[in-house]
C-alpha cells in the first residue's frame, strides 16, 4: 500500500486542489492503482507557500507547486517505479534540533524506565566517575549559557559557587516561568521531569551541594505533580538520598511553590520566597553564589539549562560546543506564539535566522497578513522588525538589535498590531508585577504607563516621547533588580523602530493599525454595502442598525471601536479612519 | 542498597527488547489536556480494549505542535507512522477503525512535524 499525502500550502487554492484530486484519483483508477494507493488530504504537511504539495509514502519524496499536468509523471515514476521526479522535488530539511526536548513527546513522563531507556541517568553516572572538577571542565567545553535570559555561562556560575567554602550549599532549579506567552519550562517539566532532576543532581555534585530545591510556580499543577512523582520514584530506587549509584554523593530534593509573582524569577527574590519571606529582591553583591538560600552558597539554574546538562555529560561538552555559533552554543527552545500559523514549541540550533524560525518552522503569519515584527524576551525584551529577520539567533546578536534572547518567548506581530498598544501591554505587566520596593521601578513604571495610555487615547503631548526616554533611562540605571532595569525595554525598542507610529498617535492623533480604540472611527460606505447584515450580527455593542432595504449604518455614539465589523465584512464596505 | 550503574544499563537493555511494535501516543501535557487529550486517551484505550487490539495506548509529553493538540502519534505495522492533530472523540474512533484496523490513513488530520 502506498499513500499520497496532499495539501494546499498556500491556503487559497481550493479549486486547484479539487481539480488535482479529481484528476489524480481518476488517473489512478485508469491504471488500476486505486486499491493500492491511498490519496489523503492532510491538515499540515510541514511546508508553506509552495502551492499544492504532495508527499509520497513510503518513499517520502515531497513535490511542490504541483499542477494537474504533473500527475502522469508522478504516477509513472514514483508510484510505479519508486523513483524521484527531481524537477518537482522540494528540499525538505527539518530545521529543528532536539536536545532539551529530546524526550518530550517520546517517553511517558511518569515512567522511570522510559527515561532510563533513553540514556537517562547515564550523564549522572558519568559525572560521578569524573568528579566535580572535570564536570565543570566539561561544562566549560560545552559553552552552555543560562537559558533563563541573562546568558551567564553555566560552568562559571558553578565554578564560583564551588569555590566558596561552606559545608552546606544549595542548588535551585528556577521554574518560575513568568514571561507572557512563554511556556518552554512547563513543557520540559511536564514532558521530561527526570532530565531536570538529573541536571540538578549533576549541578549539585559540581558545586558540592547535597540539597536541591525545585522552585515551581503554583500555576503549573501538572508540572508539580510530575516532578513530585519523579522525585518519589528516585527516592524509592535509591537514586536520591545517600550514596547515589554506589558513590559517596548524597543528594536530597524538595519542591517549593511560588505564588506566581513575576519578580520571584529574579534570583534574590526567589531565594526570599523559598525562605518563606515576601518575594522582595535585595541588592547584589553579595551574590547568591556567596550568600544565597539560608545565607549559604547557592547556584540557581533555569529549567532549560538543567535539561541540557545530562545530555552534555553523556555526549561530551565538545560535541555540544560544536552546535550553534561562537559564543552561543547548543540549541534554544522558543515558544512561538502570536499571529503565527503554527504556534507551539520549537527547538533550533543557535545561529539559525529568525526568518527560518517564523516562516519555515512557524509557517508564517496567520491568514497571510503582512508581518510587522517579532517580540522576544517578554517584558524584558523588545521588538525586532522584519528587516532584521535574517539575523542569526544568539545572545549578543539579539541584544545588538535592542532585544534579548530572554527565556524564549517569541511573539509574532502582524500589520494589525499597534506598537504603542504592545508597549503599553508589556509595561502594564511590569507595573502590575513590580514589587514596589524601589522607587525607580514603582514610580517610573507607573508614570511611563500613564504617558502611554495618554498617547493611545489621543491625548499625547509633544514632549511625551522625550519624557518616555528620560524616565526609561532613569529606570534602567537606578532600579534595584532586573525587573525594573529591563521593564522599559519594550517601550524603548518600539520607539527606536516604530518612531513614526508613535508620532502618528501623538501628532496626527491616528492609530495606523486601527488598534487604539479612541483613535479610530468606523463607518459603512453605502455603495459597497451589500446588506448582508454580517456586521450587525457580530457587533457586540448593537451599534449597527439597518435592513436589507436601507443598508446598514453605525451609530458612532454606541460604537466601541472593537473592529469586529471591519474584520467580518467581505466587501470592504466598513471604513476605518 | 540503591540502584547502581549496572541496573541502569540492565533497565535500558530490557526496555529495548520490550518495545511493542504497535503503539499510540497521546500528548498529555497541559496543552494537550486543555484541548481534550483526556477524552481522546480514554476513547483510544477503551476502543483498543473493546476490540482486543494488540496496540499499546500511552501517554507522553508535548512534542511542540501545541496549536494542533490534542495530538496522537500512531505507529502500527502495515501503515505509515504519522501524527494526527486536532483529534476529537470522533477522529479517535476513526483512527482505530481506519488506521489501526484497516491500515488506511485518516483524512484531514495528519500533521507533519
Amino acid at each position: 500500500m502506498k499513500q499520497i499525502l496532499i495539501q494546499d500550502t498556500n491556503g487559497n487554492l481550493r479549486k486547484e486542489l479539487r481539480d488535482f484530486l479529481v484528476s489524480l484519483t481518476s488517473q489512478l483508477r485508469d491504471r488500476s492503482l486505486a486499491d493500492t494507493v491511498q490519496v489523503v488530504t492532510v491538515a499540515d504537511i510541514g511546508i508553506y507557500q509552495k502551492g499544492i504539495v504532495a508527499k509520497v509514502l513510503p518513499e517520502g519524496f515531497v513535490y511542490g507547486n504541483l499542477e494537474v499536468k504533473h500527475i502522469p509523471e508522478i504516477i509513472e515514476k514514483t508510484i510505479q517505479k519508486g523513483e524521484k521526479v527531481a524537477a518537482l522535488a522540494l528540499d525538505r530539511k527539518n530545521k529543528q534540533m532536539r536536545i532539551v526536548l529530546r524526550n518530550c513527546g517520546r517517553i511517558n513522563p511518569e515512567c522511570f524506565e522510559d527515561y532510563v531507556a533513553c540514556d537517562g541517568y547515564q550523564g549522572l553516572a558519568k559525572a560521578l566517575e569524573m568528579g566535580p572538577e572535570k564536570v565543570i571542565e566539561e561544562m566549560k567545553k560545552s559553552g552552555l549559557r543560562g537559558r533563563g535570559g541573562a546568558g551567564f555561562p553555566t560552568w562559571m556560575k558553578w565554578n564560583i559557587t564551588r569555590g566558596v567554602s561552606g559545608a552546606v550549599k544549595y542548588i535551585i532549579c528556577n521554574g518560575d516561568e513568568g514571561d507572557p506567552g512563554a511556556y518552554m519550562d512547563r513543557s520540559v517539566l511536564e514532558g521530561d521531569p527526570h532530565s531536570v532532576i538529573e541536571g540538578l543532581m549533576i549541578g549539585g555534585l559540581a558545586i558540592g551541594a547535597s540539597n536541591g530545591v525545585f522552585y515551581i510556580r503554583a500555576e503549573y499543577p501538572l508540572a508539580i505533580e510530575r516532578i513530585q512523582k519523579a522525585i518519589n520514584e528516585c527516592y524509592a530506587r535509591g537514586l536520591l538520598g545517600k550514596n547515589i549509584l554506589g558513590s559517596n554523593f548524597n543528594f536530597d530534593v524538595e519542591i517549593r511553590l511560588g505564588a506566581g509573582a513575576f519578580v520571584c524569577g529574579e534570583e534574590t527574590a526567589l531565594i526570599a520566597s523559598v525562605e518563606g519571606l515576601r518575594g522582595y529582591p535585595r541588592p547584589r553583591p553579595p551574590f547568591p553564589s556567596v550568600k544565597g538560600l539560608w545565607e549559604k552558597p547557592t547556584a540557581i539554574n533555569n529549567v532549560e539549562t538543567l535539561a541540557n546538562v545530562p545530555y552534555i555529560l553523556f555526549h561530551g561538552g565538545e560535541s555540544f560546543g560544536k552546535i550553534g555559533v561562537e559564543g552561543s552554543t547548543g540549541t534554544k527552545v522558543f515558544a512561538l506564539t502570536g499571529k503565527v500559523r503554527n504556534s507551539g514549541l520549537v527547538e533550533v540550533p543557535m545561529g539559525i535566522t529568525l526568518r527560518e524560525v517564523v516562516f519555515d518552522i512557524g509557517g508564517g503569519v496567520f491568514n497571510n497578513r503582512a508581518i510587522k515584527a517579532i517580540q522576544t524576551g517578554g517584558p524584558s525584551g523588545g521588538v525586532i522588525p522584519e528587516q532584521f529577520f535574517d539575523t542569526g539567533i544568539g545572545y549578543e546578536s539579539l541584544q545588538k538589535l535592542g532585544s534579548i534572547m530572554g527565556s524564549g518567548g517569541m511573539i509574532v506581530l502582524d500589520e494589525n498590531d499597534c506598537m504603542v498598544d504592545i508597549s503599553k501591554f508589556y509595561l502594564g505587566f511590569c507595573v502590575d508585577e513590580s514589587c514596589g520596593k524601589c522607587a525607580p521601578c514603582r514610580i517610573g513604571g507607573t508614570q511611563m504607563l500613564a504617558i502611554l495610555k495618554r498617547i493611545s487615547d489621543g491625548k499625547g503631548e509633544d514632549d511625551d516621547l522625550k519624557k518616555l526616554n528620560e524616565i526609561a533611562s532613569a529606570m534602567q540605571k537606578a532600579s534595584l533588580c532586573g525587573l525594573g532595569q529591563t521593564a522599559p525595554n519594550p517601550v524603548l525598542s518600539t520607539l527606536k523602530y516604530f518612531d513614526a507610529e508613535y508620532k502618528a498617535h501623538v501628532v496626527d492623533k491616528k492609530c495606523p493599525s486601527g488598534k487604539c480604540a479612541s483613535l479610530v472611527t468606523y463607518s459603512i460606505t453605502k455603495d459597497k454595502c451589500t446588506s448582508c447584515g454580517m456586521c450587525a450580527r457580530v457587533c457586540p455593542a448593537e451599534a449597527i442598525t439597518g435592513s436589507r432595504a436601507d443598508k446598514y449604518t453605525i451609530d458612532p455614539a454606541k460604537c466601541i471601536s472593537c473592529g469586529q465589523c471591519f474584520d467580518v465584512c467581505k466587501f470592504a464596505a466598513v471604513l476605518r479612519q | 542498597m540503591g540502584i547502581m550503574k549496572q541496573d541502569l544499563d540492565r533497565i535500558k537493555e530490557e526496555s529495548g527488547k520490550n518495545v511493542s511494535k504497535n503503539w499510540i501516543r497521546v500528548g498529555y501535557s497541559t496543552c494537550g489536556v486543555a484541548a481534550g487529550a483526556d477524552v481522546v486517551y480514554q476513547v483510544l484505550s477503551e476502543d483498543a480494549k473493546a476490540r482486543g487490539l494488540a496496540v499499546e495506548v500511552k501517554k507522553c509529553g508535548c512534542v511542540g505542535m501545541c496549536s494542533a493538540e490534542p495530538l496522537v502519534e500512531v505507529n502500527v505495522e502495515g501503515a505509515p507512522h504519522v501524527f494526527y492533530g486536532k483529534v476529537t472523540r470522533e477522529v479517535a474512533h476513526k483512527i482505530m477503525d481506519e488506521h489501526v484496523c484497516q491500515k488506511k490513513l485518516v483524512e484531514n488530520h495528519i500533521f507533519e512535524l
Side-chain angles (χ1 to χ4, degrees), chain A residues 406-448:
Chain A
S407 63
M410 191 183 275
I411 299 174
V412 176
L413 308 171
D414 74 7
E415 56 192 345
N416 287 0
D417 288 309
C418 164
M419 288 301 159
V420 178
D421 189 61
I422 294 289
S423 57
K424 199 173 76 179
F425 166 77
Y426 280 108
L427 194 70
F429 180 85
C430 286
V431 169
D432 273 349
E433 294 291 342
S434 167
C435 74
K437 186 173 178 179
C438 72
C441 173
R442 183 181 69 238
I443 300 171
T446 309
Q447 290 305 321
M448 280 180 79

Side-chain angles (χ1 to χ4, degrees), chain A residues 262-341:
Chain A
F262 184 61
V263 73
C264 288
E266 196 279 335
E267 52 184 18
T268 58
L270 187 155
I271 287 169
S273 171
V274 173
E275 288 175 347
L277 304 171
R278 188 168 179 158
Y280 269 167
R282 60 157 176 78
R284 297 178 303 180
F287 284 90
S289 48
V290 179
K291 247 185 186 181
L293 182 59
W294 309 116
E295 310 228 311
K296 306 289 184 215
T298 304
I300 301 174
N301 294 106
N302 163 270
V303 170
E304 193 186 329
T305 313
L306 291 174
N308 271 302
V309 172
Y311 179 93
I312 292 171
L313 266 291
F314 185 67
H315 295 272
E318 216 160 304
S319 73
F320 184 90
K322 283 184 189 142
I323 304 164
V325 287
E326 180 89 40
S328 301
T329 57
T331 59
K332 178 78 193 87
V333 184
F334 288 99
L336 195 57
T337 56
K339 306 286 178 61
V340 68
R341 197 188 141 104

Side-chain angles (χ1 to χ4, degrees), chain A residues 3 38-39 41 43-44 55 92 98 104-108 116-117 119 122 125 183 190 226 237 343-345, chain B residues 3 5 8-9 12 15 25 28-30 59-64 66-67 80 105 107-108 110-113:
Chain A
Q3 289 86 10
Q38 188 196 359
V39 178
T41 51
D44 192 323
K55 181 173 181 182
R92 185 177 185 269
R98 301 201 161 217
C104 286
R106 300 181 39 140
I107 64 168
N108 179 351
V116 173
D119 300 321
Q122 296 285 352
Y183 58 99
E190 287 178 355
R226 293 204 176 143
R237 292 172 189 264
S343 49
L345 295 184
Chain B
I3 198 167
K5 166 86 166 70
L8 294 177
D9 296 339
K12 192 182 158 186
S15 59
R25 287 188 193 132
Y28 220 82
S29 279
T30 296
K59 290 179 186 177
C60 69
C62 160
V63 282
C66 306
S67 55
L105 302 180
E107 294 260 350
N108 295 327
I110 292 179
F111 281 74
E112 295 264 309
L113 260 184

Side-chain angles (χ1 to χ4, degrees), chain A residues 67-355:
Chain A
E67 291 170 36
V68 171
K69 65 176 184 203
H70 297 130
I71 294 174
E73 201 181 2
I74 295 177
I75 294 184
E76 278 158 29
K77 282 200 174 161
T78 309
I79 301 291
Q80 295 183 317
K81 294 184 198 151
E83 289 167 11
K84 195 177 194 170
V85 184
L88 300 172
L90 293 177
D91 176 30
R92 185 177 185 269
K93 212 169 68 190
N94 192 350
K95 297 197 165 163
Q96 296 207 50
M97 180 173 195
R98 301 201 161 217
I99 292 179
V100 174
L101 303 176
R102 60 192 180 277
N103 296 327
C104 286
R106 300 181 39 140
I107 64 168
N108 179 351
E110 296 180 4
C111 176
F112 178 79
E113 283 79 7
D114 266 20
Y115 180 64
V116 173
C118 298
D119 300 321
Y121 293 105
Q122 296 285 352
L124 175 70
K126 246 181 158 173
L128 287 167
E129 251 169 56
M130 291 159 79
E133 282 88 7
K134 279 196 180 153
V135 169
I136 291 174
E137 191 57 35
E138 210 58 39
M139 293 304 292
K140 189 177 179 180
K141 278 188 213 156
S142 76
L144 179 69
R145 295 169 64 176
R147 298 292 194 245
F152 193 78
T154 306
W155 75 270
M156 214 188 273
K157 192 181 263 182
W158 288 2
N159 203 31
I160 294 168
T161 320
R162 176 169 179 73
V164 181
S165 57
V168 180
K169 291 180 189 177
Y170 292 95
I171 181 159
I172 301 179
C173 169
N174 184 351
D176 190 65
E177 187 176 44
D179 288 2
Y183 58 99
M184 308 71 50
D185 295 349
R186 188 191 73 202
S187 275
V188 176
L189 290 169
E190 287 178 355
D192 194 11
H194 282 287
S195 72
V196 191
I197 296 176
E198 190 182 351
L200 194 71
M201 291 166 83
I202 296 171
L205 174 79
I207 65 167
S210 47
N211 290 288
V213 178
F214 271 98
Y215 186 79
I216 308 174
R217 52 189 304 182
E219 290 97 325
Y220 285 177
L222 194 60
I224 295 161
E225 185 191 316
R226 293 204 176 143
I227 285 287
Q228 188 62 59
K229 269 191 189 162
I231 291 175
N232 295 348
E233 184 90 7
C234 287
Y235 271 115
R237 292 172 189 264
L239 202 55
L240 277 172
K242 301 247 178 285
N243 302 107
I244 292 164
L245 291 176
S247 70
N248 56 7
F249 174 57
N250 307 326
F251 198 72
D252 286 298
V253 179
E254 61 171 328
I255 300 180
R256 288 299 178 107
L257 302 189
F262 184 61
V263 73
C264 288
E266 196 279 335
E267 52 184 18
T268 58
L270 187 155
I271 287 169
S273 171
V274 173
E275 288 175 347
L277 304 171
R278 188 168 179 158
Y280 269 167
R282 60 157 176 78
R284 297 178 303 180
F287 284 90
S289 48
V290 179
K291 247 185 186 181
L293 182 59
W294 309 116
E295 310 228 311
K296 306 289 184 215
T298 304
I300 301 174
N301 294 106
N302 163 270
V303 170
E304 193 186 329
T305 313
L306 291 174
N308 271 302
V309 172
Y311 179 93
I312 292 171
L313 266 291
F314 185 67
H315 295 272
E318 216 160 304
S319 73
F320 184 90
K322 283 184 189 142
I323 304 164
V325 287
E326 180 89 40
S328 301
T329 57
T331 59
K332 178 78 193 87
V333 184
F334 288 99
L336 195 57
T337 56
K339 306 286 178 61
V340 68
R341 197 188 141 104
N342 302 330
S343 49
L345 295 184
V346 300
E347 182 173 357
V348 288
M350 299 274 192
I352 192 173
T353 65
L354 295 166
R355 193 177 300 281

